[in-house]
Amino acid sequence: MDTEEKKIFELLREVVDPELMVNIIDLGLVYGVTYNEPEHKIDVDLTLTSPGCPMGGLIIEDAQQLIEASYANFEVMINLVWEPMWSIENLTEAGKEALGQI
Amino acid sequence: MNQIASQNAPSPRVVIPHYVFGGLTWLAVTLLIVFNPDAFTQHFFNPELLAITHLLVLGWITMVIFGALYQLLPVIMEVKLYSEPFAISSLILLGLGAVLLAFAFWQFSFGAIMFVAATFVVVAVGLFFANVLLTARSSTKRVIERTFIITSVIWLLFTVLAGLTLAINLAHPFLKTSHIELLKLHAHAGIVGWFIQLIIGVSSKLLPMFMVSHHVNTKKLTFAYYAINIGLIIGVVSLFIQLKFGIVMSAVIVVPGIFSYLSFIYEAYKKRVKKQLDIGMKQSAVSFMVLVIPFFLIFSLLFNFKFLNNLTLPLSVAYGSAIVIGFITSLVMGQTYKTLPFIVWLKVYRGRVGKVVLPLPKDLYSEKVAIAQLWLFATGFVLLLLGISTSLTNLLISGGTVLFLSAALYNFNILKIIFHKPKKI
């Protein structure tokens, strides 16, 4: 992950799952970030804790608008992915603590 | 890429009126309990109790369930709701039907009003039935939750058709079986076939989702499905032909099925990622604990213990009240906090991220009010149950009054959620 991709990754900490009240990075929902400067494109691979998650649309919208606000001339794509399926192992230490796992 | 559930959500105009009508009906029912406590101290086949029960199960519980299902079917089946006009027509007919039916029972009049009311309810359920089946048909998700929901809706249709038949039979008797036994048949088809199966279908998908529980054993649900439906069919036939052994067998088969479902929920609870339960989930947990009471009562009543002979009638009323008020009402109130704030939140904030201050769905209602509502509910329910079991009118009035306060707080929070306005940055 290059410096810009790390920045985007950190930026996404501001997106919170409204049901779990934990940000999507600590939940381990973001699988990857690709920053393509020559083509002015940013791709984010993101999953949800459950395929039926009623808040999915809002999380995606939130992530998209947040990146677009910081990278005005870039085309931002949020790709919803289901492989590998999200599991408890995806949680960071901070995520586990926020959910009362630790 | 899968379609995400929020893209399939129906218009909030379809869903929200169900909660408003249901909440106000529950408030009205608590007042009817306060001013008519004697309804709970007589044989259960009395005008006031029949009116209160039908208002409760149709105007409150079924009404909120219809509204919530229009929102939840797209989540569970991952498709759009088949028809919003069907849903709105069903809402109007169910609301009118429930009020008219309660009025007809109160008057103990089995003429034109009752027939019209029962027809309204049957048509409302018919529209709902068509909407659920046509939505399910377009879904490729062949999961046990879907099977429970479809089967529960079939039992609902059977229940209301049996109710209509009962209404006709009361005015123009043509069935040999006694009204009391037919009423038991009608009630159990509704309680077990419709409410409990629907609750299993919806909650077995939603509760693990809310608690973020993965890898819960769904074989328990498959066992529950067959046990409940086989047991219920045996029970309905046995009640109709008056076969006591079949009735006992029915309970012996159904109850382990429900326990199997409870074991699934407990496993989901144990495997939950989100350790702390919010207020909606706490009230739901209370409702599951209450289920112990009707389980105990049904076997006490079926085995006809001599020392309970004088208590058979009050315990029958207590049994019904423990299921309808103690379990189902409590669960509906709890799950309101898990559904309505999300529906309104999506309506208000979709497309406005970054333009307004974004609260969490739980910020749309007062948690303190919800906690007070839960405690008042638990107190009111215990008083009501004691009042029914002892036939003490003062206890019933106290129970009804405390439940009224709980229902008033519940309505306060519903209105607070619905009239939520976003704050500009």
Side-chain angles (χ1 to χ4, degrees), chain B residues 86-407:
Chain B
F86 272 27
I88 292 168
S89 311
S90 175
L91 158 78
I92 296 165
L93 287 169
L94 182 66
L96 279 172
V99 172
L100 281 176
L101 199 60
F103 176 77
F105 273 121
W106 202 275
Q107 303 292 319
F108 221 52
S109 132
F110 301 102
I113 296 178
M114 176 157 295
F115 184 74
V116 169
T119 306
F120 278 1
V121 172
V122 170
V123 177
V125 169
L127 287 169
F128 173 76
F129 179 81
N131 221 350
V132 172
L133 257 58
L134 291 167
T135 304
R137 200 179 62 168
S138 60
S139 163
T140 52
K141 290 268 157 192
R142 296 285 184 270
V143 287
I144 188 74
E145 296 92 334
R146 178 181 183 271
T147 314
F148 264 115
I149 292 171
I150 294 171
T151 314
S152 76
V153 177
I154 294 169
W155 276 109
L156 171 65
L157 194 62
F158 171 81
T159 305
V160 292
L161 286 172
L164 180 63
T165 311
L166 265 174
I168 296 169
N169 192 51
L170 277 166
H172 311 284
F174 64 96
L175 293 170
K176 283 179 188 168
T177 315
S178 89
H179 278 295
I180 303 298
E181 298 309 311
L182 289 174
L183 187 63
K184 285 181 192 169
L185 183 159
H186 170 59
H188 283 87
I191 289 172
V192 181
W194 161 233
F195 288 128
I196 291 188
Q197 276 204 101
L198 189 273
I199 286 168
I200 294 176
V202 174
S203 66
S204 53
K205 172 79 180 182
L206 290 189
L207 296 186
M209 198 194 286
F210 290 146
M211 295 186 284
V212 196
S213 315
H214 286 242
H215 310 297
V216 189
N217 182 6
T218 53
K219 281 183 185 162
K220 291 176 182 177
L221 296 176
T222 308
F223 172 78
Y225 179 80
Y226 288 108
I228 289 171
N229 284 290
I230 292 169
L232 189 57
I233 291 167
I234 293 173
V236 165
V237 173
S238 303
L239 278 167
F240 193 73
I241 61 170
Q242 295 294 289
L243 183 67
K244 176 79 195 229
F245 175 73
I247 297 168
V248 175
M249 279 311 295
S250 162
V252 169
I253 298 170
V254 168
V255 170
I258 297 175
F259 267 109
S260 183
Y261 155 70
L262 292 175
S263 154
F264 172 88
I265 293 296
Y266 184 67
E267 188 187 332
Y269 175 79
K270 295 293 280 180
K271 288 182 174 171
R272 74 196 187 283
V273 170
K274 190 183 175 189
K275 291 295 174 197
Q276 206 173 10
L277 297 184
D278 54 36
I279 185 65
M281 293 299 283
K282 279 180 185 159
Q283 175 135 20
S284 305
V286 167
S287 63
F288 284 111
M289 287 181 233
V290 170
L291 259 185
V292 176
I293 301 170
F295 282 147
F296 169 74
L297 288 174
I298 187 71
F299 285 110
S300 305
L301 288 165
L302 281 175
F303 289 121
N304 279 335
F305 296 119
K306 269 191 182 166
F307 68 96
L308 286 174
N309 270 358
N310 294 335
L311 287 172
T312 302
L313 281 178
L315 290 185
S316 303
V317 179
Y319 164 70
S321 306
I323 296 178
V324 176
I325 297 178
F327 174 54
I328 304 173
T329 289
S330 174
L331 192 61
V332 169
M333 286 168 95
Q335 287 301 303
T336 296
Y337 293 112
K338 302 299 298 172
T339 50
L340 190 60
F342 285 85
I343 294 162
V344 174
W345 199 82
L346 282 172
K347 172 187 156 223
V348 174
Y349 294 105
R350 178 176 282 165
R352 302 180 81 170
V353 176
K355 296 172 191 153
V356 291
V357 179
L358 210 62
L360 293 169
K362 75 174 189 60
D363 298 331
L364 270 60
Y365 58 86
S366 161
E367 196 171 3
K368 282 182 184 166
V369 168
I371 293 168
Q373 169 219 294
L374 169 57
W375 280 105
L376 286 169
F377 175 83
T379 312
F381 171 66
V382 170
L383 288 171
L384 186 80
L385 213 59
L386 288 174
I388 293 169
S389 310
T390 57
S391 300
L392 287 173
T393 310
N394 283 342
L395 270 178
L396 284 162
I397 294 172
S398 310
T401 307
V402 181
L403 286 176
F404 168 76
L405 294 174
S406 170

Side-chain angles (χ1 to χ4, degrees), chain B residues 33 35-43 46 48-49 391 393 396:
Chain B
I33 298 173
F35 292 108
N36 300 278
D38 293 339
F40 292 84
T41 58
Q42 307 165 39
H43 190 285
N46 74 72
E48 290 83 9
L49 192 59
S391 300
T393 310
L396 284 162

